[in-house]
Amino acid sequence: MAQPRLTRPISPHLQAYNMIRITSALSVANRMTGGIMGFGLLFMILWLGAAAYGPDVYASVMVFLTSWFGWLVYFGVSVALFFHFYNGIRFMVWDLGWGFEMPQVVATGLTVLALTALTVVVFWAIVIARLAL
Amino acid sequence: MGTHNWQFGRDSGSRQTSLGHARGSGSDRRGPHEWLLSRLTAVGLIPLLPWFLYSLLSGVAADHAAMQAWLSAPGNMTLMILFIICVFWHGMLAGKVVVHDYIHGAALEMSASVAISFACVIMAVFAIIAVIKIGLGG
């Protein structure tokens, strides 16, 4: 149980990276967006749990879940989610052994950012259109 | 995957020195399995996440009756339970990796890791039971 006396290699933390580089920025963003979605899962638990306790509890909890704070959380989580979704696919492509050349890393990174922005806009346009109906 | 100082599942045929073994240094050889699980749950989420978002956009959360109508379909209930399993399993593995990367000191590292595991399992079980109860019309 005791800590080894020898200094073992440890994972580099944020300060070890030049955050202006797209390589490190997107890598760190992947973890951060994962954390944001972890927070979002609490809202999913609240939503499913409320429904399980019946219509009255569901209606009460939905007042909070559809408040401005709720919508703010969903917007933040949606940005994190779409980024993590596309960047996760980028990671899988790396796992298959493709895309490690710097031009490819930059191109796929920019593609992830563009797809994230596009999906956020389309998703929220649909949400707003549905709410307006 | 981090150095798991407290784990003992090492390969007896390892070339690791006995001193290194005693100090708990080096790989515990369980990393590849957890890495694979995090990828498999991610692969599962590639279709499940768009399905979940599509469901939300379809208005399944509008009121309790809509929730019940949605989850009472066996296919939807199955997909929702699979979604919950993949999300919490993926999140649990990822959370533990972050803990092992950034938290140092065996006691704190193990406590945080166990706390994440417990929290994820509790939330996943609760979510699954909620889905079944809603779907079966409780």
Side-chain angles (χ1 to χ4, degrees), chain A residues 35-51:
Chain A
I36 291 168
M37 285 188 293
F39 177 70
L41 282 177
L42 299 177
F43 279 72
M44 189 176 88
I45 289 290
L46 194 57
W47 169 58
L48 290 173

Side-chain angles (χ1 to χ4, degrees), chain A residues 21-45:
Chain A
R21 304 275 176 196
I22 191 169
T23 45
S24 47
L26 294 193
S27 172
V28 171
N30 205 64
R31 286 204 164 178
M32 286 183 169
T33 52
I36 291 168
M37 285 188 293
F39 177 70
L41 282 177
L42 299 177
F43 279 72
M44 189 176 88
I45 289 290

Side-chain angles (χ1 to χ4, degrees), chain B residues 93-133:
Chain B
L93 292 167
K96 283 159 74 168
V97 169
V98 171
V99 162
H100 294 311
D101 277 353
Y102 300 145
I103 296 182
H104 308 298
L108 192 60
E109 197 176 332
M110 181 167 76
S111 306
S113 183
V114 169
I116 286 175
S117 303
F118 278 27
C120 287
V121 170
I122 290 167
M123 287 191 289
V125 169
F126 180 74
I128 290 168
I129 286 177
V131 164
I132 293 172
K133 182 155 188 292

Side-chain angles (χ1 to χ4, degrees), chain B residues 67-84:
Chain B
M67 284 283 283
Q68 211 152 35
W70 176 51
L71 290 175
S72 62
N76 287 336
M77 194 196 277
T78 302
L79 290 173
M80 193 57 198
I81 290 171
L82 289 173
F83 176 70
I84 290 163

Side-chain angles (χ1 to χ4, degrees), chain A residues 3 7-13 15, chain B residues 2-3 100-104:
Chain A
Q3 277 291 87
T7 306
R8 305 292 303 180
I10 58 173
S11 179
H13 210 332
Q15 62 272 19
Chain B
T3 308
H100 294 311
D101 277 353
Y102 300 145
I103 296 182
H104 308 298

Side-chain angles (χ1 to χ4, degrees), chain A residues 4 12 18 27 49-50 57 60 78 80 83-84 88-89 126 132:
Chain A
N18 179 350
S27 172
V57 176
S60 315
S78 75
F83 172 82
H84 201 93
I89 292 172
I126 296 172

Side-chain angles (χ1 to χ4, degrees), chain A residues 3 5 31 51-52 58 95, chain B residues 5 23 39 61 64 101 133:
Chain A
Q3 277 291 87
R5 277 182 295 140
R31 286 204 164 178
Y58 189 71
D95 291 339
Chain B
N5 294 324
R23 282 176 172 159
R39 297 305 147 123
H64 190 264
D101 277 353
K133 182 155 188 292

